């Protein structure tokens, strides 16, 4: 998280004075202040030399003018070798920053990169509860990279239960990152909320819903997108059946089979309680769904290989009937013209 800042060799002394006070200044008050800072920095370096990292961390966090609450100081702690079974020097520094963030009613805000490093350290060395606690500290500054880090930290196989997605969602909402908010909602299994959020906040188009389904291919979300498409007069709301087939065929064949099984078993109902079968939905196919003869063949082969030949037969018969009707319509039009 600190790659954008100057890295320091932890073996050499850290001297941040040059960016605060000029040692050439003849002002006696500034000279006295400079001497105090020199003494403070020297004590910090002494603590570091003797591996007194906890004391050094507290000393740095309470430094005057916040001269040691910097990315460079953080990097110095980060580069120290970590011994198994003990808190890392970086963790001690981050912990000290959290406990000293407010002094005399003044809040010392951290840079976004340092905030990310602190949350990363808390999550790695203690867990989600401490990360949540630190996120609520006044010194932490939220950012899109911090939210991205939380999303990447989620290792949940299905719906997120580790809270990382929920934390990221809150940050994304703060920055009105609508697509990312929707993705975190989907990762939490809040599929209705995804569609509602897209309507009211994001002004989502079909491409947005497609992108979310591609990154979160689940049967529940697919069904809700289909129902939304059937129920809405707005063409940009939800996704059509054939478009969903195309996306799942590319991204998750297992979910595709489950999706087809559910439609074949129960159908899908619109808001008027009209039941739509697989055949009904195939007849609604549009060129924008980008299904081809080859793709339909792949779908049918997939059904047969998963012992769902009856679904393959329904798809095949529907496609043949549709083809025959199209040919009949063309022939009728030609007869009329002639």
């Amino acid at each position: 998280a600190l790659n954008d800042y100057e890295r320091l060799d932890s073996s050499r002394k850290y001297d941040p004075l040059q960016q605060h006070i000029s040692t050439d200044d003849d002002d006696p008050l500034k000279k006295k202040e400079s001497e105090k800072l020199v003494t403070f920095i020297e004590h910090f370096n002494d603590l570091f030399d003797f591996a007194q990292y906890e004391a050094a961390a507290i000393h740095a966090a309470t430094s005057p003018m916040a001269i040691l609450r910097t990315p460079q100081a953080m990097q110095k702690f980060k580069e120290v070798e970590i011994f198994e079974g003990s808190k890392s020097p970086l963790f001690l520094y981050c912990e000290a920053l959290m406990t000293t963030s407010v002094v005399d009613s003044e809040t010392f805000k951290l840079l976004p990169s340092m905030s990310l490093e602190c949350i990363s350290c808390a999550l790695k060395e203690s867990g989600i509860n401490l990360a949540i606690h630190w996120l609520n500290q006044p010194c932490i500054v939220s950012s899109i990279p911090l939210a991205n880090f939380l999303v990447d930290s989620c290792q949940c196989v299905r719906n997120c239960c580790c809270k990382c997605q929920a934390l990221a969602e809150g940050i994304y909402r703060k920055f009105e990152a609508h697509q990312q908010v929707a993705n975190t909602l989907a990762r939490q299994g809040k599929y209705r909320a995804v569609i509602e959020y897209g309507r009211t906040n994001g002004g989502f188009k079909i491409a947005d819903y497609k992108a979310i389904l591609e990154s979160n291919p689940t049967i529940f979300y697919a069904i809700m997108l289909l129902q939304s498409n059937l129920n809405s007069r707005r063409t940009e709301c939800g996704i059509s059946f054939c478009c969903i087939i195309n996306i799942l065929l590319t991204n998750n064949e297992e979910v595709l089979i489950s999706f087809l099984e559910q439609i074949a078993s129960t159908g899908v109902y619109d808001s008027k309680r009209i039941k739509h079968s697989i055949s009904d939905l195939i007849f609604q196919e549009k060129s924008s769904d980008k299904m081809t003869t080859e793709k339909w063949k792949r779908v049918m082969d997939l059904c047969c290989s998963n012992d769902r030949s009856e679904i393959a037969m329904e798809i095949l018969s529907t496609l043949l009937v549709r083809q025959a009707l199209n040919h009949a319509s063309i022939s009728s039009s030609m007869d009329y013209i002639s």
Side-chain angles (χ1 to χ4, degrees):
L2 297 176
N3 290 340
D4 294 336
Y5 297 90
E6 178 187 1
R7 293 184 176 275
L8 294 175
D9 182 351
S10 58
S11 64
R12 63 185 174 90
K13 300 294 186 290
Y14 172 46
D15 182 11
L17 290 177
Q18 57 183 350
Q19 58 184 336
H20 290 277
I21 294 180
S22 172
T23 55
D24 295 330
D25 204 314
D26 293 330
D27 188 326
L29 291 178
K30 287 188 176 181
K31 187 174 182 180
K32 185 176 181 180
E33 185 67 24
S34 178
E35 290 173 352
K36 288 182 179 180
L37 292 176
V38 168
T39 302
F40 196 93
I41 298 299
E42 288 177 346
H43 184 49
F44 169 74
N45 286 324
D46 288 341
L47 290 171
F48 224 92
D49 287 342
F50 287 97
Q52 299 296 311
Y53 300 122
E54 185 169 6
I58 296 173
H59 191 71
T62 57
S63 58
M65 300 171 62
I67 57 173
L68 293 174
R69 298 175 68 92
T70 62
Q72 292 85 355
M74 177 174 275
Q75 185 64 33
K76 187 174 177 70
F77 282 96
K78 188 175 182 179
E79 291 177 351
V80 178
E81 182 180 358
I82 301 174
F83 295 97
E84 188 175 352
S86 61
K87 294 180 179 179
S88 71
L90 176 61
F91 181 88
L92 295 173
Y93 179 65
C94 293
E95 189 175 44
L97 292 175
M98 296 301 107
T99 57
T100 59
S101 60
V102 179
V103 179
D104 295 331
S105 300
E106 182 180 358
T107 300
F108 293 93
K109 294 284 188 181
L110 298 176
L111 291 173
S113 62
M114 294 180 69
S115 297
L116 194 162
E117 194 72 60
C118 286
I119 301 306
S120 172
C121 189
L123 199 58
K124 179 181 178 181
E125 297 197 32
S126 181
I128 190 66
N129 289 333
L130 183 63
I132 293 173
H133 178 63
W134 283 8
L135 271 171
N136 291 319
Q137 296 304 305
C139 63
I140 292 294
V141 175
S142 297
S143 63
I144 293 294
L146 174 55
N148 293 342
F149 163 76
L150 290 168
V151 167
D152 294 339
S153 297
C154 176
Q155 301 299 315
C156 301
V157 177
R158 296 187 182 277
N159 295 341
C160 175
C161 57
C162 69
K163 303 178 184 178
C164 285
Q165 297 292 337
L167 294 175
E169 177 198 338
I171 297 174
Y172 286 138
R173 284 181 182 272
K174 179 179 178 181
F175 289 95
E176 298 184 351
H178 300 307
Q179 186 71 47
Q180 291 93 326
V181 170
N183 273 316
T184 56
L185 288 170
R187 290 287 298 276
Q188 295 172 72
K190 299 178 179 179
Y191 303 110
R192 292 189 187 280
V194 172
I195 296 172
E196 186 59 31
Y197 185 86
R199 287 172 178 164
T200 59
N201 297 88
F204 283 8
K205 305 297 183 183
I206 290 179
D208 297 306
Y209 291 113
K210 285 181 180 179
I212 297 169
L213 182 59
E214 287 168 357
S215 58
N216 301 276
T218 67
I219 181 174
F220 306 105
Y221 184 44
I223 292 291
M224 288 184 182
L225 285 173
L226 177 56
Q227 289 176 328
S228 179
N229 179 260
L230 292 172
N231 295 333
S232 177
R233 295 179 180 178
R234 296 167 54 196
T235 57
E236 68 271 18
C237 190
I239 307 178
S240 68
F241 173 78
C242 295
C243 184
I244 291 173
I245 294 294
N246 188 23
I247 292 172
L248 295 180
L249 183 63
T250 303
N251 292 276
N252 196 311
E253 293 181 350
E254 182 179 350
V255 173
L256 172 57
I257 290 297
S258 298
F259 176 68
L260 288 170
E261 286 176 340
Q262 180 155 336
I263 302 297
S265 174
T266 63
V268 60
Y269 291 84
D270 60 25
S271 58
K272 297 180 180 179
R273 299 304 298 166
I274 298 175
K275 181 180 178 180
H276 298 261
S277 66
I278 287 179
S279 295
D280 298 329
L281 296 167
I282 290 177
F283 271 106
Q284 298 175 17
E285 181 182 351
K286 303 184 294 293
S287 59
S288 59
D289 295 329
K290 297 184 178 180
M291 284 297 290
T292 63
T293 301
E294 179 59 32
K295 287 181 179 179
W296 280 119
K297 184 178 183 303
R298 284 176 55 198
V299 172
M300 289 184 283
D301 289 343
L302 189 62
C303 290
C304 291
S305 63
N306 283 272
D307 297 324
R308 293 295 180 267
S309 57
E310 72 282 1
I311 297 178
M313 287 300 297
E314 182 177 1
I315 293 173
L316 178 60
S317 61
T318 303
L319 293 175
L320 290 174
V321 169
R322 189 179 67 178
Q323 184 180 42
L325 290 174
N326 287 340
H327 286 165
S329 177
I330 293 173
S331 298
S332 177
S333 297
M334 293 299 294
D335 291 341
Y336 178 79
I337 293 173
S338 61

